[in-house]
Amino acid sequence: MIRFLLRRLALLAITLLITSAVIFALTQLLPGDVARLILGREARPEAIAALREDLGLNNSVPQQYIDWLTGFVTGDWGRSFVSGNPLIRPLVMDRLGNSLRLAGFTLLISVPLSVFLGVISGLNENKFVDNAISIFTLSVVGLPEFVTGLVLINVFALGLGWFPASATAPADASLGDWIRQLILPAITATFVLMAYIVRMTRAGVIDELKKSYVRTATLKGLPRRTVIIKHVLRNALLPTITVVALSFGWLIGGLIVIENVFSYPGLGRLMTNAVERKDIPLMQAVVMVVIFFFAIANLLADVVYALLNPRIRLD
Amino acid sequence: MTQTTPIIEARALSIEYKFGRVWLNALHDVNLTIYPNEIHGLVGESGSGKSTLALALMRYMAGNARISGGTIVFDGVDITRTTPTEMRAIWGSKIALVPQDALASLNPSYTIGEQIAEIGRLHLSLDARTAWACGIDMLRRVKIADPEAVAARYPHQLSGGMQQRVTIAMALTTKPRLLILDEPTTALDVTTQAVIVDLFRELIRENDAAALYVSHDLGLIAQLCDRVTVLYGGEVMASASIENVFKHPIHPYTISLLASLPRPVNPTHGMETRLPTIEGVAPSLADRPKACVFAPRCPAAIAICHTEKPPLEQINAERTVRCHRWREIADCTLVIDTAPKLIEMSAPPEAGMVLDADHLEKTFGGESMFGRLTKRNGVHAVDDVSVHINRRSTLGLVGESGSGKTTLARLIVGLEATDDGNLHLLNAPLNAAVDARSRDELRQIQMIFQNPNDAMNPFMSVGETLARTLKRLSSQPMTTAQIDARVAELLESVRLPMDYAARYPTELSGGEKQRVAIARAFATTPALIVADEPTSALDVSVQSVILNLLKDLRGQHGTSYLFISHDLKAVAYLADWIAVMYLGEIVEEGTSEHVYTMPSHPYTEALISAIPVPDPTIKSKQIRLHGDPPSARNIPTGCRFHTRCPRKIGAICETDVPPYRDAGGEHFIRCHIPVEELARLQQDSPNPILDAQI
C-alpha cells in the first residue's frame, strides 16, 4: 500500500511537471509582448525594456521556465498584471477555498441523489420508473448551465426570494448564509453531473444483477433487500467512484459558466478573468492548481476503489 | 425400488419463455421424481432445458419465464403455488444449489467465511461468532486444509477446485434435504473433478440428502448417480435406473448418445474407425418439431414419428420412455447400429518430419525489469520441451490446466516467441515470432481455437472469413471466381451447405461455427494444424461429428495435427502419438496405444484413472491426485510431480531429477521407478476403463 502510494505520488509529480511545461509553452505562444501588455500601447520603449529586464523576459525560454517553476514550488507565484499588481498566491488560495466549498456542497447533494436514482433505475430496467429517470436526467444535462441557472434564479431568487441570486458572500458570513448562497449554483451543477452518475450507477446495477453471485445470494434465501444492498450495491457502485472523482476535478476548475451566472468568486471565474486580461502568471497559477486537484482526486479514487475491491492489489 | 415418498416430484411440468410477444415452450410435460438418498442424474445437451428444469425445481426462473402447467411437489407442498416469502424459507435451508461456475457464483467483495456465515445467521439463527465458526467447520468438512486461513480469503484467491469446495460447503451448511448440482465440475480439470465427485458422493450419503446432478458428461453420471433422466428438446426422453439406461437403453437418443462417446479403438491393420454420430443439430426453442422432438435426427424414425408426439410411457415402477418404437427396441426386433465404422485408411502416417521443435523454453515475467527488481520468479511455462510431428500423423498433448500445453502450442504457432530452442518446419528453420514468418510458413501452420464464438469476427460472413484467409495467404493472387469456388469447396469439405457462405456467426450453432473454423484452417492446405481443445466447448453429439471430420480431413489432405485436449478419450481416438505434460515438462510420451493402455508414469496413470467411465458396472481405479498442481513460479525440486505422486518412492524423488527413460517401442517415461517395475504395476492393476465397451 505504501509502495503504491509512493509510486502514485511520484507519477503525480511527473504529471504536474509535464503539464507545467505544456502550460508554460502555450503561454509563450500567446501573441503580444508582456511588457507592452502591462504598460499599455503608449509606453516608452525604455520603460518597456526596463520592465522586460525586470520580468526576466530577456532570458532564454528554458531559463524563464525554470525561474517560474522554482518560484512556483517555493511559494512565490509572482504578481498579477492587473492594476495594483496583487500577489497571486493569496488571490488564488482565496478563490480555491470558495471553489472547494462549492464543489464539496455540490457533491453532498448530487452523489447521494444520483446514486439513489441510478439504483432505482437499474433495479427497474426498462420499466416506467427507469424511463422516467432517464428522460429527466438526460434532458437536464442537455440544457446549458446558463439556462438552468437563469431559470433557477428567476424562480427561486427573484420570484420566491428563497435564495440570493448572486453568490458573493462576505468572508465572515455565517454557515447558514454560506449554504443559502451555495444552493442554487450547486443545484445547477448537480443537473449537469446527475446524468453521468445516474447512468454509471444504473449500468453498474444492471451488470451486477446478471452475475451468478446474485442468484447464489437469492437462493441462500436472503431477503431481496439484503441481496440488493449487501451483495449487488457493494460491487455495482465501484465504477461510480471514478466518475465522482472526475466530477470533483470539473467542479474545482470547470464551473466557468455557473460561476459567471451566479457571480460566484471561484477558480473558474478567476481563470476567465485572467484569460480576458492576458494575465499570464495568474493563468498559469490557476491551471496548475486545478490540475493538481484533478490528479489528487483521481489518485484518491484509485485508492478508494482498490480498498473496496479486494481483487485489486496495491503494489 | 421401494416406493417411499419422493422428496420432490415434478408432474407434467411445462415452462415457457417469452420472446418478444410470443411464449415458447422450454420444457414440455416433464416428469421427474427424486427419492430420499438418491442421486438423480439429469443429462441433456445445451438447449435441452436441463438448467431450466434444475432451477425450476427450486422455483427459480428467469424474469421472462413462467410455469404454464403441472406441479412441483416438494416435501408435500406444491411449490408452484408458494409465495416468494415461503420460497425464501426453503431456499438455502431445505433445497440448496451447487452452481456451475464457482468463481462467478461467489461474491467477489466478501470473504469466503462471511459468505458461508451468512447462511448460518439466516437459517440457523446463529450469532456472528458461532456462524463464523460453523463456516470454518463446513470448510473442514469439504476437506479444505487450513480452513481458518481460507475463510479470511476472497474467492479470486482460491483455485477452481477450492472455489467449488466452498460452494459445496455453503450448500451443505443447513443440511438441506435436496441438493441441486448444476454441472458443478464442468469447469474443473479431470483430476480435480475426480476428487470433488468423491466428495459429493461421501457428503450426500453422510447428510442423508437427495441430489439432482445435472451434467452432459455421461461417464460422470454413470459413476455417480443411481437413476437418470434424459432430456432432449425440453422433453423427457427416458428415465430409468443407471444400469438400465447405460446397459439396456431403449430410447434411440440415449443409444445414439452413448455410441457417439469418443473412445480409443484398435482397428486392424490398414483400417481406421469412425465414431457413430447423431446427424443434424438440436432444434432451437422456436422450431421444435410438433411431433417427436428427436424424430428429425433419429436413426429409427418412421412416418408416425413425424406426425404424432409419442406419450411419456411408464414401463414399470422405475422406468419411463417417450418413443413410438421402444417396444421393438426392447425386444430386439429393432436394432440401431452403433458400432464404429471401419474404413480403409486412406493415408497412413508417413516418416517425413513436418514439425521439429527442439528444446523449447518459455518463461513469462521473469525477464522484465519489474520482475528482476522484485526478485519474483518468472512462470516457467515450457521447460526444455521437444516434440516431433510426422507427416499425416497426430500428436495428442494432454495435461491439467497450467501444464504448459497451450503455451507450447502458441510457441509453435509463433504467437509467443521462444526464449530458447529451435523450430523446424518441413526441415527448414522456422522463425520464432509469427510476424517474422514468411507467407509460405504462415500458410503451412494454422490453428483451430477452443471457443469458436470468440475466434470468429461477428461482422464477417462465413464466406468473407474464408475468402479473407485465401486472399491473405494464397501463394499466387486468386480471382474472385477462384476464391468463390474454393470457399464452396471448403464448405463442402466440412459438410456445410453452400448457402452458409452468406451467414454470420450468430446464425450458426456451436458445432457449425467450429466447422467453419476447421474450414478456415484448411483453406491454405497447411502441413500442420494446431488444434487447442477444439471439441471441449461442444456438446457430446457434436463432438463426435467434429472428431470424425478432423480424421477425414487428415486423410484427404495429408495434414498433421497437434491436438491439445484435456479429454484423454478424444485424444486417444484421434492421436497416434501422445505426450503428457506436467508443469512445463513432458513426463511421458509414446504411441497412443502405449500411453493409453499402459499408462506408466504415475501422473498419466492418475489422469486416466480420473476419467469417469460411462459404464456403471465398471468402477474405475481410485487413484486421486490431492491438492492443486504447484505453481509454475516455484517448481518443486527433483521430480516435479513428487508433491502429488501416489507412487513416490522416497527422498530421491525430492532431490534428484528423474531420468527420461525409454521403456521400449519409443515409449519414454520420466520417473525414478524403473520401467520394468512400472510395467509390472500396470499388469497388477490394469485400468478398467479399457474394458468399457460402450
Side-chain angles (χ1 to χ4, degrees), chain A residues 57 99 129 133 177 202-203 263:
Chain A
L57 291 176
S99 275
V129 194
I133 291 173
D177 282 347
R202 175 183 182 270
S263 335

Side-chain angles (χ1 to χ4, degrees), chain B residues 552-569:
Chain B
D552 288 343
L553 291 170
R554 177 178 65 188
Q556 283 162 27
H557 298 284
T559 310
S560 308
Y561 294 135
L562 173 64
F563 183 78
I564 301 172
S565 182
H566 66 278
D567 184 352
L568 267 156
K569 289 169 293 183

Side-chain angles (χ1 to χ4, degrees), chain B residues 420-669:
Chain B
D420 205 357
N422 292 308
L423 284 166
H424 282 83
L425 179 74
L426 301 165
N427 296 320
L430 181 66
N431 259 312
V434 74
D435 37 358
R437 290 183 184 176
S438 71
R439 212 175 228 237
D440 198 48
E441 287 165 337
L442 292 176
R443 189 163 50 234
Q444 295 294 353
I445 304 185
Q446 288 292 313
M447 188 156 184
I448 302 170
F449 294 91
Q450 170 168 9
N451 193 334
N453 301 319
D454 299 343
M456 287 179 78
N457 185 336
F459 295 106
M460 269 193 178
S461 71
V462 169
E464 284 163 359
T465 301
L466 297 176
R468 185 179 153 83
T469 310
L470 291 169
K471 273 183 218 147
R472 306 269 308 182
L473 290 180
S474 64
S475 42
Q476 57 259 23
M478 294 171 80
T479 63
T480 317
Q482 281 173 319
I483 287 178
D484 287 348
R486 180 78 178 122
V487 166
E489 200 178 297
L490 286 167
L491 285 176
E492 201 199 335
S493 73
V494 294
R495 312 216 173 94
L496 285 175
M498 220 74 89
D499 60 312
Y500 270 50
R503 291 207 188 184
Y504 286 87
T506 47
E507 299 169 293
L508 306 176
S509 72
E512 288 168 344
K513 272 181 232 175
Q514 200 58 300
R515 286 189 213 207
V516 174
I518 293 171
R520 199 206 55 76
F522 274 98
T524 58
T525 39
L528 174 69
I529 289 181
V530 175
D532 190 1
E533 305 259 12
T535 57
S536 342
L538 305 175
D539 269 316
V540 186
S541 72
V542 182
Q543 206 179 348
S544 52
V545 178
I546 297 292
L547 287 174
N548 281 348
L549 183 64
L550 286 172
K551 241 187 190 183
D552 288 343
L553 291 170
R554 177 178 65 188
Q556 283 162 27
H557 298 284
T559 310
S560 308
Y561 294 135
L562 173 64
F563 183 78
I564 301 172
S565 182
H566 66 278
D567 184 352
L568 267 156
K569 289 169 293 183
V571 170
Y573 171 70
L574 196 66
D576 22 50
W577 190 268
I578 294 180
V580 183
M581 272 188 96
Y582 185 76
L583 275 185
E585 207 175 54
I586 292 180
V587 294
E588 175 165 5
E589 65 180 311
T591 61
S592 187
E593 206 183 325
H594 271 140
V595 175
Y596 198 72
T597 55
M598 287 291 274
S600 301
H601 192 282
Y603 177 60
T604 319
E605 189 189 15
L607 270 185
I608 291 177
S609 106
I611 304 173
V613 191
D615 182 340
T617 55
I618 292 173
K619 294 295 166 205
S620 43
K621 236 190 209 180
Q622 298 278 323
I623 301 174
R624 296 292 181 254
L625 295 184
H626 291 283
D628 300 312
S631 156
R633 258 181 225 290
N634 297 299
I635 289 172
T637 53
C639 172
R640 293 172 183 211
F641 186 53
H642 83 254
T643 54
R644 300 166 81 202
C645 184
R647 296 202 189 277
K648 187 175 156 186
I649 48 173
I652 185 171
C653 297
E654 291 169 32
T655 52
D656 292 18
V657 174
Y660 200 42
R661 280 194 268 238
D662 189 347
E666 292 186 294
H667 185 189
F668 297 90
I669 302 151

Side-chain angles (χ1 to χ4, degrees), chain A residues 29-293:
Chain A
L29 293 179
L30 288 178
D33 181 41
V34 174
R36 187 175 292 281
L37 226 80
I38 297 172
L39 296 176
R41 213 171 301 164
E42 312 303 320
R44 284 175 302 120
E46 305 88 79
I48 289 179
L51 187 63
R52 284 187 63 91
E53 188 57 41
D54 203 32
L55 291 172
L57 291 176
N58 293 333
N59 295 334
S60 67
V61 174
Q63 185 60 47
Q64 287 184 46
Y65 170 65
I66 290 168
D67 288 345
W68 169 72
L69 193 65
T70 8
F72 194 83
V73 172
T74 51
D76 172 17
W77 293 8
R79 286 178 176 276
S80 165
F81 290 172
V82 296
S83 52
N85 291 19
L87 275 173
I88 289 175
R89 202 153 76 106
L91 182 65
V92 171
M93 285 304 170
D94 180 49
R95 297 300 190 91
L96 175 64
N98 290 342
S99 275
L100 283 174
R101 249 187 299 263
L102 180 56
F105 193 71
T106 307
L107 289 183
L108 218 59
I109 298 177
S110 59
V111 172
L113 177 70
S114 313
V115 166
F116 177 75
L117 290 178
V119 170
I120 298 291
S121 237
L123 292 178
N124 296 288
E125 192 190 353
N126 294 335
K127 289 188 192 150
F128 176 75
V129 194
D130 178 29
N131 292 335
I133 291 173
S134 292
I135 289 169
F136 172 67
T137 52
L138 290 177
S139 39
V140 294
V141 77
L143 288 175
E145 295 120 283
F146 56 83
V147 175
T148 38
L150 288 176
V151 169
L152 288 175
I153 287 176
N154 272 308
V155 175
F156 294 100
L158 305 179
L160 298 167
W162 292 355
F163 307 107
S166 138
T168 327
D172 56 349
S174 70
L175 184 69
D177 282 347
W178 266 114
I179 290 176
R180 269 165 47 80
Q181 281 168 347
L182 289 176
I183 278 183
L184 290 185
I187 290 177
T188 314
T190 297
F191 280 161
V192 178
L193 289 182
M194 201 160 54
Y196 298 106
I197 304 179
V198 167
R199 296 309 283 182
M200 203 68 186
T201 311
R202 175 183 182 270
V205 170
I206 290 172
D207 264 12
E208 293 302 317
L209 278 178
K210 286 184 194 136
K211 303 247 170 99
S212 303
Y213 72 79
V214 180
R215 182 182 72 187
T216 310
T218 307
L219 290 180
K220 276 176 180 176
L222 293 169
R224 178 91 180 141
R225 196 171 4 97
T226 315
V227 173
I228 300 296
I229 295 174
K230 180 175 172 187
H231 287 274
V232 177
L233 292 191
R234 180 67 164 59
N235 297 298
L237 295 185
L238 287 174
T240 308
I241 295 169
T242 316
V243 180
V244 172
L246 287 175
S247 310
F248 183 70
W250 175 73
L251 286 170
I252 294 291
L255 291 187
I256 295 167
V257 177
I258 294 179
E259 288 180 9
N260 275 308
V261 168
F262 291 94
S263 335
Y264 187 82
L267 280 178
R269 237 177 112 210
L270 186 62
M271 170 86 119
T272 19
N273 293 342
V275 172
E276 279 162 5
R277 292 173 197 157
K278 302 211 169 118
D279 195 344
I280 289 168
L282 185 59
M283 254 160 69
Q284 287 168 335
V286 174
V287 172
M288 286 305 288
V289 167
V290 169
I291 286 172
F292 176 76
F293 275 89

